């Protein structure tokens, strides 16, 4: 009887498909099924060789508890005789002694008696854990719980692997923000770009300027349907994060090796600021409202006046933001600042003359330079949308190329770091299908286009190409009103993005990726992720 059972078990092991990893690792050798490792309730231990590896071990232990209902114990005591152990070892992975030590690099070895993840730094160990999770069966009832025997060597292609979320057009509470960050971490992304302010709502508590949230965090309604819309729903919408909540989210992200880059928009996309403080606009006497319609060119809009009062205000805001976020990078927006307001403003025209600027683009450049100087004085670097190139790039700025790749190419040629996020390939608010399941922005971005996107433009020389720091997916939420829809828009395009940014270019293969997605969808089912189910249809 026992031997019959054993036989059955062995044959079921033999039927395991090859591991379906996303993103595809640099190198993987598949071992023999008899070398599979078994995770057993209350007996498998997770050993960490260094306390800095604790967040990775805890991530794994809680994942196993939540999805497989097994209890694993954490140990910091080394014991070479242990028989059932997952080792997290802080040491430079032996089999990949390249010249450059990469803190995100790891090796993963699965054998019958132990699993070993080696990395010179905690981030690499964390990515090893994410891969280990994908070696488990994507189902909650897989007893015994087996890890496929493999040898993996892995490191990312790009140092910047980002995903953005707009919480201004629609507000998402911190419990969902944490979930979102968790999703990014499981895809080995390392930056979360938090779009905290825009015309439609200010979302972060600033103690010195309480009206930003008392007034700026709320709008009285939103347009109905696709812009320009069919009327206004008249439903008050808003919300904001307290500084205590922001700190909690930063810690949560840091435990997942994600840096949060806060975005404070200027000088455009500022209606929420101007509703609270109209004196910072070009028409200080006219009261203003938090915007209720999408788009920037309507007659109710305005932008920040480039006055000393405005700069003092922005410096006070940025001082609080920079004290809160450990990120060395602060995103200052800079996009879509309509110049009509400065054209009509006597103060702005006088400033253009006084400073010898060429025109309103020169004024935009003056604005960003001045803010950059302040941010740099606090030891941080600015990131801006590619409009910050207009009128001349600030000396140390990093450029996010969104209006195609032109801005990114120009910035790389000027030896500035670039994050590629062109809207034709990286805007996940666009429809996934020609006719999507619900209202989306009126453009089409199928999965294949995301997957096949190449962040390094062919026109760059190898020396210039080094300035392409990485890429990012963006999720603007005009038409995304709830967490389930965020997930719908995100998955599986996030999977495609992770492979673009992590995997070696020659390893990318869309047909093979779609095969691997099948197992990923089963994992999402287990985790309760609301991916676009239409991909399941033949
Ligand atoms: C942008 O989409 N306005 C950066």
């Amino acid at each position: 009887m026992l031997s019959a059972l054993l036989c059955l078990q062995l044959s079921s092991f033999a039927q395991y498909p090859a591991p379906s990893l996303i993103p595809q690792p640099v190198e993987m050798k598949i071992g023999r099924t008899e070398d599979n490792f078994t995770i057993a309730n209350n007996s498998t231990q997770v050993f960490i060789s260094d306390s800095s590896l604790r967040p990775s071990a805890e991530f794994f232990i809680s994942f196993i508890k939540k999805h497989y209902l097994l209890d694993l114990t954490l140990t910091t005591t080394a014991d070479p005789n242990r028989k059932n152990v997952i080792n997290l070892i802080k040491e430079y992975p032996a089999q990949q002694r390249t010249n450059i030590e990469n803190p995100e690099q790891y090796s993963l070895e699965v054998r019958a008696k132990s699993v070993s993840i080696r990395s010179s730094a905690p981030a690499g160990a964390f990515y090893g854990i994410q891969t280990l999770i994908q070696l488990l069966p994507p189902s909650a009832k897989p007893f015994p719980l087996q890890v496929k025997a493999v040898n993996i060597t892995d490191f990312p292609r790009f140092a910047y692997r980002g995903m953005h979320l707009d919480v201004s057009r629609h507000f998402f509470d911190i419990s969902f923000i944490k979930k979102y960050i968790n999703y990014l971490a499981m895809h080995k992304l390392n930056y979360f770009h938090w779009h905290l302010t825009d015309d439609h709502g200010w979302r972060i508590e600033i103690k010195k300027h309480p009206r930003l949230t008392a007034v700026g965090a709320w709008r009285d309604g939103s347009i109905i349907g696709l812009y320009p819309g069919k009327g206004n729903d008249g439903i008050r919408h808003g919300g904001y994060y307290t500084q205590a909540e922001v700190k909690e989210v930063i810690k949560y992200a840091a435990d997942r090796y994600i840096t949060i880059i806060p975005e404070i928009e200027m000088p455009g996309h500022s209606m929420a600021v101007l509703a609270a403080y109209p004196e910072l606009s070009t028409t200080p006497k006219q009261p203003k409202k938090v915007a209720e319609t999408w788009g920037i060119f309507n007659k109710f809009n305005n932008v920040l006046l480039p006055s000393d009062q405005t700069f003092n205000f922005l410096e006070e805001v940025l001082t609080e933001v920079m004290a809160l976020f450990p990120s060395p990078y602060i995103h200052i927006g800079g996009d879509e600042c309509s110049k009509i307001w400065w054209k009509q403003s006597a103060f702005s025209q006088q400033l253009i003359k006084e400073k010898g600027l060429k025109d309103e683009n020169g004024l935009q450049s003056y604005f960003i330079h001045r803010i950059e100087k302040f941010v740099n004085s606090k030891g941080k670097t600015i990131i801006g949308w590619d409009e910050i190139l207009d009128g001349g790039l600030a000396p140390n700025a990093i450029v996010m190329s969104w209006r195609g790749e032109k801005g990114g190419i120009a910035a790389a040629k000027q030896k500035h770091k670039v994050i590629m996020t062109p809207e034709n390939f990286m805007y996940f608010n666009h429809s996934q299908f020609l006719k999507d399941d619900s209202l989306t922005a009126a453009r089409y971005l199928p999965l294949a286009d995301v997957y096949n996107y190449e962040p390094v433009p062919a026109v760059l020389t190898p020396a210039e190409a080094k300035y392409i720091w990485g890429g990012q997916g963006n999720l603007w939420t005009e038409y995304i009103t709830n967490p389930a829809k965020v997930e719908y828009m995100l998955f599986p395009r996030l999977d495609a993005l992770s492979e673009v940014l992590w995997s070696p270019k020659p390893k990318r293969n869309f047909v093979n990726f779609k095969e691997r997605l099948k197992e990923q969808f089963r994992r999402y089912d287990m985790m309760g992720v609301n991916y676009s189910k239409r991909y399941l249809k033949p």
Side-chain angles (χ1 to χ4, degrees), residues 58-118:
E58 285 175 349
F59 186 100
F60 185 71
I61 291 169
S62 73
F63 189 91
I64 296 295
K65 176 74 182 165
K66 182 167 180 194
H67 298 293
Y68 299 102
L69 309 176
L70 300 181
D71 285 302
L72 310 185
T73 47
L74 181 67
T75 175
T76 55
T77 316
D79 175 1
N81 297 321
R82 242 183 226 117
K83 292 227 164 46
N84 191 300
V85 61
I86 296 167
N87 296 305
L88 298 186
I89 303 159
K90 193 165 171 236
E91 92 183 12
Y92 196 54
Q95 59 275 63
Q96 41 191 44
R97 291 200 183 281
T98 52
N99 293 332
I100 307 159
E101 183 164 325
N102 181 343
E104 296 187 309
Q105 178 171 306
Y106 68 91
S107 69
L108 168 62
E109 185 184 62
V110 178
R111 291 290 173 272
K113 286 191 179 148
S114 66
V115 171
S116 295
I117 293 171
R118 291 183 170 82

Side-chain angles (χ1 to χ4, degrees), residues 269 335-336 385 402 427 476:
H269 286 289
D335 60 318
E336 298 183 314
W385 299 108
W402 76 277
Y427 272 37
W476 303 99

